[in-house]
Amino acid sequence: MRGSKAILITAALAGLLAGCWQPTAPGRPVRLRLAHVYEVKSPTHAFGTAQLADRLAAAGVGLEVSVFPAAQLGSEAELLEQLVAGELELAIAGPSFLAMWYPEIGAFDAAYAFRDLDHMLDVAHGDLIQPLWDELRKRYGVRVLDTWVYGSRHITSNRPIRHPGDLRGFRLRLPAARVWQASGEALGASPMPVAFAEVYMALQQGMADGQENPVPTIQAMGFHEVQKCLNLTGHIQSSIQILVNERVWQRLDAAQQNALLRTLRDLGREVQGGTERQEREILAAWREKDVLQIVDDVDVEAFRRRAREYFADGFPFSPLYRAISSQEASPKPAGSDAVPPHDPAEREEMP
């Protein structure tokens, strides 16, 4: 972790000295690049970033965006280093990676911090989290433009999982970041880190007893082919953050900033709608064709109590976790989708 921070700080200083991103000549469009690691069929790209260039062109504010999905420009770690250095204008990353810079953000990937995806978005767009986004901007020159849904994560297995006791000795594959491994422990499992590309084989060969991911990801990766049960735990309401280099942001005029914010917020709603629709359609098809046993009588409250006791103390993000998990879900006020006129705000790939 110290090495990663040193790399980021060095990259930031190099970017400041080099002035990597130069202002565009008056009258010419501003060209930006956005990169992420998600596949082209993922909801993140299919419902979101694939539409970004056309939406911004239609806004007529002189912004042109080229999108590079599927890790074309590097891993998530490499994209963040490029972003800090000013070698890349926009990137997408998840909370666990950002937590390497600012550990409190790890609360977003801790089990049962949120009740549902709407609650997660309320927090991500609200006053409670804004100081953390501000610190990212001040320390590393990275601004959080928006938070998008990645999906509700559920456990797959070869036997039903209904209670925390059912996970005793269960080798649950999770990403390698500490907060993910801790979430596995909080659920009662024996977490094991396996590279995402190797999960299918680990399940097929019995090296791991199960894994957890949103339903669209489970289908896309074929995990349903090598597991018998889908247990609807909904233990993490997974998110990703849309990031911009702060120096790039400050060189955009007000109309360009507003158009970019509004477009990202609109696309974020479409990503959420598409993700939730895909989950419903996939679950219906799996039930109809008896592809998996859908275990929907999971004792979620028992899992939630266990996780909240586990994360209540002892982690850098415990105070924030307690604050988030104690909130009652509240309906969005009328007009809350409008963009405010003032300032908006060792991990493998998240899946």
Side-chain angles (χ1 to χ4, degrees):
M1 184 176 295
R2 290 177 180 173
S4 296
K5 287 185 176 180
I7 290 171
L8 289 167
I9 292 169
T10 301
L13 292 173
L16 285 169
L17 292 171
C20 298
W21 192 83
Q22 299 297 325
T24 301
R28 292 189 178 183
V30 176
R31 294 182 173 86
L32 306 174
R33 294 161 300 156
L34 182 148
H36 61 76
V37 300
Y38 303 99
E39 296 297 326
V40 294
K41 292 184 179 179
S42 69
T44 298
H45 187 69
F47 301 120
T49 56
Q51 323 303 323
L52 183 58
D54 289 344
R55 298 287 181 89
L56 287 175
V61 293
L63 279 181
E64 293 183 359
V65 177
S66 298
V67 177
F68 299 87
Q72 292 179 33
L73 299 187
S75 67
E76 196 166 7
E78 291 167 338
L79 295 181
L80 267 290
E81 290 170 12
Q82 293 173 42
L83 185 73
V84 172
E87 298 167 0
L88 181 66
E89 293 79 48
L90 295 147
I92 297 178
S96 289
F97 195 92
L98 296 177
M100 291 176 61
W101 303 353
Y102 201 91
E104 285 84 344
I105 297 173
F108 268 65
D109 280 339
Y112 293 107
F114 305 102
R115 277 169 305 283
D116 52 33
L117 292 170
D118 285 333
H119 180 205
M120 181 274 293
L121 289 175
D122 283 346
V123 172
H125 295 145
D127 294 338
L128 182 63
I129 198 69
Q130 190 60 48
L132 276 68
W133 299 155
D134 289 342
E135 282 300 310
L136 281 179
R137 176 173 51 83
K138 293 173 184 176
R139 295 184 187 185
Y140 301 105
V142 170
R143 178 181 291 259
V144 177
L145 293 179
D146 201 10
T147 293
W148 286 2
V149 157
Y150 184 69
S152 297
R153 301 176 80 99
H154 307 289
I155 296 173
T156 63
S157 60
N158 287 323
R159 55 180 171 80
I161 303 294
R162 294 186 172 90
H163 307 282
D166 295 333
L167 285 177
R168 188 173 298 113
F170 186 92
R171 295 167 299 174
L172 178 62
R173 181 274 167 185
L174 287 144
R178 175 56 188 148
V179 64
W180 288 98
Q181 296 291 296
S183 285
E185 295 167 0
L187 296 174
S190 298
M192 61 181 301
V194 177
F196 188 55
E198 299 172 5
V199 175
Y200 187 99
M201 184 176 295
L203 296 172
Q204 187 179 47
Q205 297 182 354
M207 293 183 291
D209 297 317
Q211 65 81 52
E212 52 77 65
N213 260 298
V215 169
T217 304
I218 293 170
Q219 184 194 54
M221 299 303 295
F223 299 150
H224 61 293
E225 300 169 356
V226 289
Q227 297 269 262
K228 297 178 180 178
C229 302
L230 173 68
N231 311 280
L232 300 181
T233 50
H235 51 281
I236 294 175
Q237 306 303 316
S238 209
S239 69
I240 54 177
Q241 278 67 49
I242 318 301
L243 310 167
V244 65
N245 177 284
E246 178 66 11
R247 298 187 304 282
V248 171
W249 174 257
Q250 293 300 335
R251 290 166 179 159
L252 302 180
D253 63 34
Q256 291 168 336
Q257 290 179 350
N258 195 51
L260 183 56
L261 284 171
R262 288 184 179 277
T263 300
L264 290 172
R265 186 62 62 91
D266 289 345
L267 290 175
R269 286 192 291 268
E270 294 177 29
V271 168
Q272 181 181 10
T275 300
E276 293 175 339
R277 182 173 63 254
Q278 277 192 353
E279 177 171 319
R280 291 192 300 270
E281 292 172 352
I282 293 168
L283 285 177
W286 284 352
R287 290 180 194 276
E288 180 183 354
K289 299 177 181 178
D290 199 24
V291 173
L292 287 169
Q293 178 183 350
I294 309 299
V295 182
D296 49 16
D297 59 342
V298 174
D299 189 349
V300 172
E301 284 304 316
F303 280 109
R304 181 179 287 115
R305 285 194 301 272
R306 195 181 195 285
R308 290 185 173 178
E309 290 175 4
Y310 184 90
F311 283 123
D313 293 294
F315 292 86
F317 53 77
S318 288
L320 179 61
Y321 181 92
R322 293 195 303 269
I324 292 171
S325 60
S326 66
Q327 289 183 347
E328 292 298 328
S330 57
K332 293 184 177 70
S336 63
D337 289 334
V339 174
H342 56 280
D343 182 33
E346 64 245 56
R347 160 155 145 79
E348 60 171 313
E349 70 273 30
M350 181 177 66

